[in-house]
Amino acid sequence: STGRLSDYRFEGFANPKAYLDSSGRALTLQSVWAEATQDVKVALDWFVSNRSRHARVLRKKATRFRRGAFWDPTPRLPGYFRDVALNASVWLEQLRSAGVDLAGSYVNLGAADGVGDDPLNAFARDAVRESGGPTLAVEADPELCARHRQALPWVSLACERVSTRNLGALLRTSFSLASSRAALDVLKVDLDSFEGPILEEALFRQGLRPKLLLVEINAGIPPPLQFALLDSPQLQEAAKIVAISVGGSSPMEVNMPAAGVSLSYLVQRFAPDYVLLELGSPDAVLVRADLLPRLGRDAPLDEFQAFAHSWLDLHGFSRGQVRRWLYELDEVEALGEVYRHLAGWMAAHLGQVLPFVLSF
């Protein structure tokens, strides 16, 4: 490919002003897929020069579609969104301190090795190991599964592909009682694939009532667009990982842009039972609505503000596309461009368009 790696695999803020610290200095990461300081300056000039239009477009969409109302404007460094927001133990300890009983249980779909970048690792090593609560981890990659078994031998592990068709059978191995499903502490889903349908199966048909949901999102699709890739025979035949090389660089793996689920799909589809608590990188954290007041919140997180000011992890999208869809286009225009991008990418790289949902 031509251009820059950050045009295809990007980490950064959609709102360029989120790069600024309290003194107005732009802080970014030294990375091939992040914006350099000069890029941030260019983005800031673009943002400020069209300030009124951007504010008007975003406000109109938020007024129509927004579910959350809470927002803390305190600037946060990129590390917060990975190290704090995505540590399940941080939120569970807050619930415990508020008097909520924890079962020491979790379901981890797409568990990888259970260690690297897994928001459940600290919980698994401490509270779960101590309590002996029921667990289920599912990982399709044999090598990762072997490493998971070695790292967390006390966790119940299934080395197979999870789907809406076999989730019920997998759950029965550790969560045979309705009471254990109702007492579940955390459900984490990170499949880089069909997160939406799996969540619907788990919550609507299998009766899981986790206190927390941690779900990897497709950060290339901004609010209010509701996107979800569907499980299908076509998907099972398609490669989900693509390697790109820009300007002669070594190939780097990226997820296909049509993978996963968008933030607004989660916020809208699982309301009013689950509400947005935090947006990390790359996972959204949702909490059961009846527990939100225990965390000192009187309203869910504003998904529009969260998306604009959180550290996004994009695969197969450029920062320019996402900013245009969020700040320059209304929901109908943005849906049209997103559809063309996804369908065009799949037709070009997979030879077919995989089944997916896209609406607002």
Side-chain angles (χ1 to χ4, degrees):
S1 298
T2 59
R4 299 169 54 189
L5 186 58
S6 58
D7 291 328
Y8 304 90
R9 166 73 170 85
F10 170 68
E11 288 191 23
F13 295 111
N15 186 330
K17 295 184 72 174
Y19 284 106
L20 303 179
D21 63 13
S22 57
S23 65
R25 181 179 55 171
L27 301 177
T28 186
L29 296 181
Q30 298 299 315
S31 167
V32 292
W33 54 76
E35 288 179 292
T37 302
Q38 184 57 38
D39 296 323
V40 174
K41 291 179 179 178
V42 171
L44 282 167
D45 289 342
W46 164 83
F47 190 77
V48 173
S49 65
N50 297 277
R51 181 187 301 144
S52 297
R53 177 189 176 191
H54 294 160
R56 182 174 66 254
V57 170
L58 187 65
R59 182 172 59 250
K60 185 175 180 180
K61 290 188 289 191
T63 299
R64 290 191 63 201
F65 298 102
R66 176 175 52 203
R67 278 195 171 269
F70 173 80
W71 177 243
D72 178 0
T74 304
R76 295 185 176 95
L77 295 175
Y80 166 83
F81 298 99
R82 283 196 176 277
D83 301 334
V84 179
L86 294 190
N87 184 345
S89 293
V90 170
W91 305 110
L92 291 169
E93 281 305 312
Q94 289 185 37
L95 288 172
R96 189 198 300 274
S97 297
V100 177
D101 292 331
L102 301 183
S105 63
Y106 69 75
V107 173
N108 190 351
L109 305 180
D113 64 3
V115 180
D117 294 328
D118 193 320
L120 296 179
N121 181 256
F123 185 52
R125 290 187 176 279
D126 298 327
V128 172
R129 189 176 189 179
E130 180 180 338
S131 69
T135 57
L136 173 65
V138 184
E139 174 52 49
D141 185 295
E143 181 178 340
L144 291 174
C145 215
R147 285 158 51 185
H148 190 292
R149 181 172 285 111
Q150 183 176 14
L152 304 171
W154 57 90
V155 173
S156 177
L157 179 64
C159 297
E160 60 183 282
R161 179 184 185 270
V162 66
S163 72
T164 56
R165 291 177 289 186
N166 70 353
L167 180 60
L170 289 169
L171 287 171
R172 283 193 291 274
T173 62
S174 296
F175 295 87
S176 58
L177 300 178
S179 58
S180 65
R181 300 187 182 202
L184 180 64
D185 292 327
V186 191
L187 169 60
K188 192 211 89 178
V189 184
D190 180 2
L191 304 177
D192 300 323
S193 188
F194 49 94
E195 275 81 348
I198 275 287
L199 279 165
E200 292 168 8
E201 178 69 22
L203 300 178
F204 299 158
R205 289 178 284 279
Q206 296 301 327
L208 296 186
R209 294 194 69 246
K211 300 169 183 69
L212 291 179
L213 290 175
L214 282 82
V215 187
E216 181 171 355
I217 68 162
N218 184 332
I221 303 175
L225 300 184
Q226 300 180 47
F227 164 83
L229 182 66
L230 302 178
D231 194 9
S232 65
Q234 296 93 323
L235 174 63
Q236 296 179 39
E237 298 166 359
K240 295 183 294 181
I241 302 294
V242 178
I244 61 171
S245 176
V246 179
S249 64
S250 299
M252 172 176 285
E253 287 188 351
V254 298
N255 295 338
M256 67 176 185
V261 64
S262 69
L263 176 62
S264 281
Y265 188 95
L266 298 176
V267 169
Q268 298 288 348
R269 184 73 174 114
F270 301 107
D273 297 326
Y274 287 88
V275 296
L276 186 62
L277 178 62
E278 183 59 282
L279 180 58
S281 178
D283 293 6
V285 183
L286 289 85
V287 64
R288 217 171 61 209
D290 63 297
L291 298 177
L292 185 65
R294 300 289 194 98
L295 295 170
R297 298 268 188 94
D298 57 6
L301 186 65
D302 183 326
E303 67 270 28
F304 283 84
Q305 292 288 356
F307 187 92
H309 295 87
S310 294
W311 190 256
L312 303 179
D313 187 352
L314 310 181
H315 291 249
F317 302 90
S318 72
R319 56 192 182 275
Q321 285 176 304
V322 175
R323 285 171 178 152
R324 170 174 167 80
W325 297 336
L326 182 63
Y327 286 111
E328 293 187 339
L329 303 185
D330 68 20
E331 64 278 3
V332 176
E333 297 165 330
L335 184 146
E337 287 199 7
V338 169
Y339 176 83
R340 283 195 296 271
H341 179 71
L342 297 178
W345 189 97
M346 287 188 280
H349 295 278
L350 304 179
Q352 60 181 327
V353 177
L354 304 178
F356 66 93
V357 172
L358 182 63
S359 64
F360 49 78

